Amino acid sequence: MRFARLFLGLLLALAGLLVTIAGAAAAFWLVGPDDTIDTGEQPLSSKGLAVMTAPDLLDRHGPTLHVTASGKKPVFVGIGQDLDVASYLGSSEYTRVLRLNVPPKFDTQEMKGGLTPLNPPAGLDWWTAKASGAGKQSISWSMADGSYDVVAMNADGTPGADVRLTLGMELPGLFGTCLVVFGAGLVLLFVGLLLMLVRRRRPPAPVVPPVPQYQPPAFQPSGSGPSGPQGLVRRVGVGATGAVLLLTATGCVGVPEKNTSHPVTRAAVTVADGQAVVKRYNELNNKANQTRDAKLSETIEGDPTLAQTRAGYQIGRKIDEAGKDKVKPFTYTKPQIGAPQFSTYPMRFVVSSGVSDDPNSRQLGVWQRQNAGTPWVLTHSVYPSATMKLPPMEELRTPVKADMDKLSSLPQSAGNNLALYLSGGTASPKAGLFVPSPGTVTLLNSRAKDKAADVKETYISTVTDTFRLTGDPVTFISSTGEGLVFLALTEQYLQRVEPGSNAYWTSGAATAFSSYVKYTQTLHQDYLHQVALVVPQKGHGKIRILSIDGQLVGAGGS
């Protein structure tokens, strides 16, 4: 039995020594009292524009991720959804971190692409967490279920990222678990040594008086009782089993769950970020208006709104050369944000706002981001009357086929029919499809008067006014199932010159595009109109024109 005790003690002592060393190393070297295990500072260099982790590297959720980055240049470090990060880097060259080996070292892959500098990342609003500047930059993030990436790059978006990156994961209770392992190892080590070194003292043999009828007790091996070596082994076994169960239970609390959800869509913008976009627009738009700076407008607007703005500035410089007749500063107030879900870029959101200098109207606009690295720009902008009923912004979504099948008219058809209606005037067969806005009625009446006046001129033979749909309508579905449609129409107001006569533009906005150039066949004025429609579901009435807002964008003749 002594051999069995020595053998068992040796096994327990060796196991206890290994567990003790592992627990001590984990508790006092790898983890520490902050419950965080990290990679240590790892040098990562890329001749490309960024260092980016693969989404599979962050395949757990629940714990807190700590990221620290530093570099020779001011550095940016951020965490974002893979949907946005992939769009931001696009076809750029960068270094991709694939996995972490032990001892800590990153396996990387060079992704080939272009080296054109990107827009500085700190100014983009889709980062889940971010930090930027000189020296060490640190962020912390409670890891969520989904596809996320860590990105480190030069703060100015230029190539040649040379960073030192540390990734750490904070697991609640990890340090305590390591201490329990350390303590369990000490217990096993002590028990093993006890079995090997302590010899059991045998009691003296009892004196048994001779009794003829005496029957000896059943044979019982030495040490098999509760206080013998086998009893000790049983107690150690029970204790070890309990310790293992405790360690398992304790450890499981801190083990992060593997990601199961990989959402492929997200809201185009948060309410707060959407309001920040409108605030930025208010500031830069007023500045651009005061100097008629089309370059500045390009940073906050996209076509067709930008085309109208450029034309307005050109007309202003022509007919107000002294610069005295400037647009008075105004702002869009109390913006209500409608942010649909998107799975790819471009992304869009809708804003309904008040107008500071016109309480009788509202502004209804579409903001678009072409890719994750570009700013939000105002692409469509109309001004419905404050009395118009607008669709609710809450739960606004992009349409699917089932939504389109329920509408009384497809957006493209609605736009073409609207063009026919405006070209034909109030007597057009298509007029019965629409409920006109006050601005629509004003436009049609104005064009009818202009036609009547122009044909009275001796040098004008006939006048035509033609509207056409341009580009693709942008459609959203409201919570009521209606379609909110934004579209653009071009209009050419054409005057045919009488044979033998000539005509030219001598005054007014048209002279910004053609001044004192004689034409013998035609004169024309070109307009760009932005329109917002509400297309009802089948059987729920006519298409409502919320607003139509035009701008002269050209003039000339032949």
Side-chain angles (χ1 to χ4, degrees):
M1 295 306 297
R2 176 168 175 75
F3 174 77
R5 291 176 60 211
L6 288 174
F7 181 72
L8 179 60
L10 179 61
L11 288 181
L12 291 176
L14 287 176
L17 180 62
L18 292 176
V19 172
T20 300
I21 293 173
F28 305 114
W29 179 48
L30 293 177
V31 181
D34 59 356
D35 291 328
T36 300
I37 182 170
D38 63 51
T39 63
E41 195 172 63
Q42 301 293 320
L44 289 169
S45 297
S46 174
K47 67 177 182 179
L49 285 98
V51 175
M52 164 190 165
T53 62
D56 292 343
L57 199 62
L58 304 181
D59 62 348
R60 304 275 174 172
H61 63 277
T64 300
L65 180 68
H66 300 283
V67 186
T68 300
S70 61
K72 297 178 181 178
K73 299 179 180 179
V75 68
F76 170 87
V77 59
I79 299 171
Q81 292 194 38
D82 186 64
L83 165 66
D84 300 300
V85 174
S87 174
Y88 177 55
L89 295 179
S91 57
S92 300
E93 183 171 335
Y94 64 94
T95 297
R96 191 179 181 92
V97 179
L98 301 178
R99 64 184 61 87
L100 173 64
N101 294 322
V102 179
K105 183 180 179 182
F106 291 120
D107 280 348
T108 61
Q109 178 185 10
E110 297 301 320
M111 309 299 291
K112 301 300 181 183
L115 293 175
T116 303
L118 301 173
N119 284 336
L124 303 173
D125 57 19
W126 44 260
W127 296 103
T128 302
K130 62 182 177 180
S132 182
K136 285 189 176 183
Q137 300 298 315
S138 299
I139 55 176
S140 296
W141 171 60
S142 181
M143 298 175 68
D145 193 356
S147 296
Y148 290 87
D149 309 313
V150 175
V151 177
M153 59 190 295
N154 292 331
D156 58 2
T158 56
D162 186 5
V163 299
R164 303 186 72 84
L165 188 67
T166 302
L167 297 179
M169 185 178 293
E170 181 183 340
L171 296 166
L174 181 59
F175 180 65
T177 300
C178 294
L179 290 179
V180 172
V181 172
F182 174 67
L186 288 177
V187 172
L188 291 176
L189 179 60
F190 174 76
V191 172
L193 292 175
L194 186 65
L195 286 175
M196 288 190 299
L197 300 178
V198 177
R199 297 182 62 183
R200 182 175 180 273
R201 295 178 61 185
R202 292 178 179 272
V207 178
V208 181
V211 178
Q213 292 82 16
Y214 176 75
Q215 296 293 328
F219 175 76
Q220 184 177 7
S222 176
S224 63
S227 61
Q230 290 186 7
L232 177 61
V233 170
R234 284 196 297 271
R235 290 196 298 274
V236 170
V238 172
T241 302
V244 170
L245 292 175
L246 176 62
L247 289 175
T248 302
T250 306
C252 286
V253 172
V255 173
E257 297 182 25
K258 194 172 181 63
N259 288 348
T260 58
S261 174
H262 297 280
V264 295
T265 64
R266 71 165 180 83
V269 72
T270 65
V271 172
D273 286 339
Q275 292 172 342
V277 170
V278 176
K279 181 180 179 181
R280 176 176 178 269
Y281 179 86
N282 287 336
E283 295 170 355
L284 296 183
N285 182 56
N286 283 322
K287 184 177 179 181
N289 287 341
Q290 294 307 301
T291 57
R292 297 189 176 116
D293 186 349
K295 288 293 184 182
L296 182 56
S297 293
E298 290 174 6
T299 66
I300 54 174
E301 293 182 347
D303 290 334
T305 297
L306 180 60
Q308 290 184 328
T309 296
R310 284 172 172 158
Y313 288 168
Q314 184 173 340
I315 293 170
R317 286 191 293 268
K318 176 65 178 181
I319 63 179
D320 179 37
E321 296 182 10
K324 295 181 179 180
D325 186 19
K326 298 290 181 64
V327 177
K328 294 181 179 180
F330 69 95
T331 58
Y332 298 143
T333 61
K334 299 180 179 179
Q336 300 173 13
I337 310 298
Q341 297 281 324
F342 282 89
S343 61
T344 185
Y345 284 87
M347 292 187 181
R348 301 183 181 95
F349 69 94
V350 182
V351 178
S352 173
S353 303
V355 184
S356 62
D357 63 347
D358 187 0
N360 296 319
S361 67
R362 294 188 63 81
Q363 190 266 352
L364 190 62
V366 178
W367 264 263
Q368 175 174 301
R369 171 175 270 165
Q370 189 63 29
N371 59 63
T374 56
W376 288 106
V377 294
L378 179 63
T379 55
H380 296 74
S381 181
V382 295
Y383 293 84
S385 167
T387 60
M388 299 293 293
K389 181 182 178 182
L390 304 181
M393 294 295 101
E394 298 81 6
E395 300 180 21
L396 206 65
R397 65 181 189 271
T398 55
V400 296
K401 185 178 183 303
D403 294 318
M404 302 295 269
D405 290 342
K406 294 178 182 179
L407 296 180
S408 63
S409 175
L410 293 176
Q412 191 82 18
S413 298
N416 288 327
N417 287 331
L418 177 61
L420 293 174
Y421 165 36
L422 296 175
S423 298
T426 55
S428 169
K430 300 297 183 181
L433 299 175
F434 298 90
V435 177
S437 65
T440 307
V441 175
T442 299
L443 174 65
L444 292 176
N445 290 338
S446 174
R447 293 295 188 265
K449 291 180 181 180
D450 289 342
K451 288 179 182 179
D454 288 342
V455 294
K456 292 181 180 179
E457 298 288 347
T458 57
Y459 60 92
I460 299 297
S461 61
T462 59
V463 177
T464 57
D465 191 23
T466 306
F467 290 77
R468 288 186 175 86
L469 177 66
T470 180
D472 296 323
V474 176
T475 305
F476 303 91
I477 302 297
S478 72
S479 58
T480 61
E482 297 176 314
L484 175 59
V485 180
F486 296 85
L487 54 86
L489 300 174
T490 57
E491 176 195 6
Q492 186 173 74
Y493 186 86
L494 182 67
Q495 301 165 295
R496 291 178 178 83
V497 179
E498 286 282 2
S501 300
N502 59 67
Y504 47 89
W505 302 107
T506 60
S507 62
T511 58
F513 308 100
S514 176
S515 180
Y516 288 95
V517 177
K518 292 184 179 181
Y519 302 105
T520 58
Q521 296 181 351
T522 63
L523 287 177
H524 64 82
Q525 291 174 287
D526 303 315
Y527 295 86
L528 178 61
H529 298 273
Q530 293 196 61
V531 185
L533 305 175
V534 174
V535 180
Q537 292 187 338
K538 294 174 182 177
H540 287 74
K542 300 179 180 181
I543 300 171
R544 291 191 293 123
I545 304 175
L546 293 179
S547 185
I548 178 167
D549 298 86
Q551 169 66 54
L552 181 69
V553 295
S558 61

